[in-house]
Each structure stands twice: as structure tokens, then as C-alpha cells.
Amino acid sequence: MTKYIFVIGGVMSGIGKGITTASIGRILLDKGFNATAVKIDPYINIDAGTMNPVEHGEVFVTEDGDETDQDIGNYERFLDKNILSENYMTTGRVYQAVINKERNLEYGGRCVEVVPDIPNEVIRRIYKVVRDSRADFVLVEIGGTAGEYQNLLFLEAARIMKLRHPKDVLFVLVSYLPVPRLLGEMKTKPTQYAVRTLNSAGIQPDIIIARSESPIDEPRKRKIGLFCNVVKEDIISAPDVESIYEVPLNFEKENLSRRILSKFNLRTRKKDSRKWNDLARKIKNLKKSVKIGIVGKYFKIGKFTLMDSYISIIEAIKHAAYFCNAKPEIVWLDAEDYEKGENKLKELKSYDGIIVPGGFGGRGSEGKIKAIGYCRRNKIPFLGLCYGMQLAAIEFARNVSGLKKAHTTEVDKNTPHPVIDLMLEQKKNLAGNKYGGTMRLGAYKCALKPGAISHKAYGEKEISERHRHRYELNNKYREVLEKKGLVVAGVNPERDLVEIIELPVKKHPFFVGVQFHPEFKSKPLRPHPLFREFIKASIKTNNRHTMSVLIP
Ligand code: GLN
């Protein structure tokens, strides 16, 4: 019998519901159970592909080409497996499916209503995941917080599930306990209100995850327990941590998996948390560091800097750095700053490695090109991801192959040298305003050039990586680029598309650009080969800096 755990937020958003869900999955996995996770996004959007990353965070691309919420990435990293499109739903998707069925007369002519037809469609989708994944546990994270009008129908679906499977459904509330500076005391009232709001939706939480700056103490556990109808042992202390990979360990210190299993009358099948725990401990004791700059533009919002737009890249850097026993120091570099002059560029010298991530449009693109050129000339390890690879090709075309006006038609439609350009089917998509879900998405094969950096990194002849882009390196320019020393190190065998460009190691310690997004496949216990080699090269550079200081 499949067990369902609904994870619901209270008090406020952004307190780590995704990490909580992923961590619960991890501790169950480490007790010998097969777990998967579903994310419900209460937006009308059909997918995350059409949302601004500054507002919604990263668009995480699945193996089967869906543009999903960044939490799917958290699930993949913590559960160490692929999560597919069917594990992601939005309000838009659910309504669209119901309306399509209605048009196909699948409701047999009866009146189709918001309740129960919308919750029923949600439940149908959850059952589908159960059938396909055959998981022992299906975790369902409901986006937003209790009390929002937007997720009411999803709570309704959860309530109905409990009614149908009273012994197989558990509700977890992830709440926040503020410690106002003026009071210096942890306050429980917002959590009490959140539980009351959930109660009015017919849901009683079984477990409360008490997120806060610091651990929750006994008196407050007792208080929440009494007012929220939850035994003290089911209030799990979840203080802020330095590394998200510590969260499963902290949950286990509070006996969370034991509490969950006993509620379902289950027993631990095997214990296997050693690797994960070793990693979490290793992270705390790193002695050396590696400083990586990310030249991007989707991280400033008012006075705040958000990391969510590049979350998989950050995690991939961390995985690789941990593998190399180094603490990553990640710095945000605003691409537009490099458009202002040479002086700013010189600051790049103080980084051990530079990443230019994916992106869209003209703003900041010249700055990124300048930064890439600086890395190329000054032998600073460079990894270009998607747009970062495209701009590296443009930089090389302009400054090495002498095509001064080379560009991508994404930014300059009339460039005389469209080194990066649209393929025919993408031209049709754009002409018809077909933006949603029409990029080159999901996993594609790539054949690697023997002896190239990437070939050595992967240790395989053919690989598969996830994509999300419209534009491609224009094959008409391959020759002029290769003639001047750019290495085409990876090609899609079916359509002969350039997927990887490199500079030879003789010329540069590490200069690699990839059309795909390797960051999506990196796992804490299995760092991605390209990130691993990039970080290795960056650490080497770092050593060289230190050496030159020591030995003048
Ligand atoms: N804007 C580029 C394209 O559409 C790159 C996209 C990306 O970096 N994800 O091809």
C-alpha cells in the first residue's frame, strides 16, 4: 500500500518546504523505502517556462523536457533520481485537463464543477505517479501557504485523499517561528493561526516542522502541542543550517523517520544513511576554499539579492567543490558592470573560476562577452552554460576569427555574422507567438570528441544532457571557428548540432562552453563531471595564485 505525505506551508513562504519535502524523502530512502515527490504549483501558468526567474526562481528542466519548479531539482538531488513531468502540476495544467476532458465529452454530459472535478483531477494525477513510480511513499508538496485562496482546491484534494485512505495519509505542516529582535523570544502564535486555518480546510497536521533561526525549546514545543493538537514528539525542531544537506540529519536527531514509520505501522527495512551523513559532516570541516564568480543578471530585486534563479548551478558548484574537499565561495557578478570599462574586468583576476550561466535577451550580453574574453585571454578557468556557451562562441568569432560584428540573432536580428541563430522550426514558433514549452527541451544525446576535455571528464564516448534553448551554433560558422583553434568537442549525432566548445588544454587551463545544462544532473554524492573538472582546474589556479605570493 502506498503511503502519502502531504507537505503544506504555514505562516510564510520561502522557509524551505521544498528542502523539507526532499529531506523527508531522503530519510525514508535511507530506511529502505522507495520514495518519490510531487510538486503542486498554484499558478495559472502551464509550466514555469514562461515565468520570470527573478519572480519564480529557476526553471528546472526534467529529463522528459518539462519546464518545472526548482523544487523538482531539490527532489532529484536529495532522492538521487530523475523526477519526471507527471510529478509536476500547476493550477493551469489541472484546469486545462478538466476543460479538455469536458470538450471530449468524457464527463458524459453532466455538469462539470470546480468541486469535485478539480480536486478529482489532482488526485488522478497523484494516482498516476503512484502507478508509474511504484513508490512506497509519495510526498506531495502543496505550493504557497495555508490560508491562500489559490491553493484551497489542492488542500481539498488532500482532505479527500485522507477520507479515502485514512490509514495511509499524513499531513506535515512546515511552519515558521519568528524571534522578533525586540522581544528576543520565539513566538508560536503565527503557527497556531496557521493550524487553525488548516483546520478550517478540514485538515489536522500530524507533524509540525518548526522552522526558525534557532532550535525550538521544550516549553514552546509543549505550547504548540497543546494549542495545535499535536503530541510534543511530533513537533520537529528545524533551525537554520549552514548547508541544506544537513537537514536530513537534523530531522533524524528529532526521530522524524521513526515517527513517520510508526504512524503508518511500518518498520525500518534497512539503515543506509552513512554516505549522506559523511557528506554532511565533511561539509562542516572543509579547510581550503575555491572562489567562483557567476556573471549573470537574474539576481537583483530591489535591494535584495536572490540566488533562486541559479539554484542548480550553485548546488552543482557545491557538489564539485565538496568532492574536491573545498568550500565554495560563490560571488554574484552583475554582467552589466563589465560594459562600463576595462578596470572592472580586472577584478575577475581575483576569482579562481568564472561561470557564465544561461540567459535570454540583450541586457547584460555585451558585459558577459567582455568577461568571457577576459577569462580566455587571462587563462581564468571558464565554464559557459547554454547562453554562456553561445556568447563564448560569439566572443571567439569576434576577437579570434575576426568577425567583428558576429552576434546572436536573439540580440541583433540583422547581424552580418549570425554565429548563433534560430533553426527553421524555431523561426516558425516565434512567428506564431508560440512561446510556451516550445524550446529545445529535455535530454538529447551528444557524441564527444576523443581526447577533448569533456571526453576525459565524462570518460564516455556518448552522453545525454538536458537542454532549454531556441538558438543554436550556426553550422555555417563552424569552419572559421575551428580553423582558429576552437574545438568542437561535442555534437548531437541526430541533427549535427554543436553542443560543446572548448579551447585546447595547451592554450588554456579550462575553457568549456556547453549548449546544455549540466547543472540539472549534478547530485551531492555524484558531482557532475564537467563541474568537477572545472572546480579542479579552479583550485589549481588558486594554488598558483597562492604560490606566486609565497615564492615571488
Ligand atoms: N537565450 C538562449 C537561447 O534561447 C539561451 C537560453 C538559455 O541559456 N537557457 O538559445
Side-chain angles (χ1 to χ4, degrees), residues 358-361 385-387 390 410 439 468-471 517:
F360 295 85
L385 308 170
C386 205
Y387 205 28
Q390 297 175 355
E410 179 174 356
M439 284 190 231
R468 179 174 185 254
H469 56 104
R470 272 186 218 288
Y471 294 79
H517 291 272

Side-chain angles (χ1 to χ4, degrees), residues 78-329:
F78 279 70
L79 298 175
D80 206 342
K81 69 170 177 196
N82 292 340
I83 303 283
L84 298 179
S85 169
E86 64 180 20
N87 288 44
Y88 178 62
M89 65 178 111
T90 63
T91 299
R93 249 174 224 203
V94 172
Y95 271 84
Q96 193 179 52
V98 170
I99 293 168
N100 286 344
K101 273 189 212 164
E102 186 278 327
R103 292 288 77 189
N104 298 342
L105 215 63
E106 284 176 47
Y107 292 101
R110 72 169 169 82
C111 184
V112 182
E113 296 184 272
V114 168
V115 180
D117 294 303
I118 296 297
N120 278 347
E121 171 62 20
V122 173
I123 294 171
R124 189 194 64 78
R125 286 167 176 258
I126 296 173
Y127 285 155
K128 179 146 190 349
V129 171
V130 172
R131 273 199 310 279
D132 295 348
S133 67
R134 305 218 180 144
D136 306 305
F137 282 93
V138 176
L139 297 143
V140 184
E141 179 189 346
I142 302 183
T145 38
E148 276 173 40
Y149 181 72
Q150 309 206 61
N151 57 17
L152 213 58
L153 290 169
F154 298 114
L155 295 181
E156 187 63 1
R159 183 189 68 79
I160 297 170
M161 285 288 282
K162 176 83 178 177
L163 196 66
R164 284 197 199 167
H165 312 275
K167 293 207 171 82
D168 302 320
V169 174
L170 213 66
F171 297 118
V172 173
L173 173 70
V174 185
S175 192
Y176 191 74
L177 292 105
V179 186
R181 209 170 344 134
L182 285 175
L183 301 179
E185 186 201 342
M186 187 182 282
K187 304 304 282 179
T188 63
K189 194 71 82 196
T191 300
Q192 296 178 37
Y193 283 129
V195 171
R196 227 158 279 166
T197 311
L198 260 189
N199 287 162
S200 64
I203 290 174
Q204 167 62 40
D206 300 283
I207 290 171
I208 296 179
I209 306 288
R211 284 280 301 113
S212 190
E213 267 170 41
S214 46
I216 178 172
D217 58 4
E218 284 297 307
R220 262 146 281 260
K221 273 195 179 181
R222 275 201 298 276
K223 196 168 178 183
I224 296 183
L226 181 65
F227 289 114
C228 301
N229 244 336
V230 177
V231 294
K232 186 167 89 21
E233 291 72 23
D234 289 331
I235 296 165
I236 306 297
S237 178
D240 288 350
V241 279
E242 221 175 285
S243 155
I244 51 170
Y245 300 113
E246 271 175 61
V247 175
L249 269 75
N250 282 357
F251 281 176
E252 285 304 60
K253 277 188 202 144
E254 298 274 297
N255 298 317
L256 182 56
S257 70
R258 210 184 312 149
R259 298 299 301 170
I260 293 175
L261 293 180
S262 77
K263 283 176 196 300
F264 287 127
N265 262 326
L266 292 169
R267 263 198 232 127
T268 299
R269 286 186 184 155
K270 66 168 191 327
K271 285 195 187 131
D272 190 16
S273 50
R274 198 178 45 89
K275 277 192 202 140
W276 192 275
N277 295 355
D278 286 351
L279 175 75
R281 267 181 230 118
K282 177 177 179 180
I283 294 171
K284 286 191 155 178
N285 296 308
L286 296 168
K287 301 277 183 291
K288 64 180 173 196
S289 72
V290 58
K291 189 173 169 190
I292 304 297
I294 301 183
V295 183
K297 68 172 178 179
Y298 301 121
F299 42 74
K300 274 196 181 154
I301 174 157
K303 281 190 185 152
F304 299 94
T305 304
L306 299 177
M307 313 190 296
D308 277 9
S309 325
Y310 301 112
I311 194 77
S312 292
I313 299 177
I314 296 169
E315 296 309 316
I317 295 172
K318 287 188 197 165
H319 305 158
Y322 299 154
F323 178 86
C324 299
N325 297 312
K327 194 184 174 78
E329 192 190 328

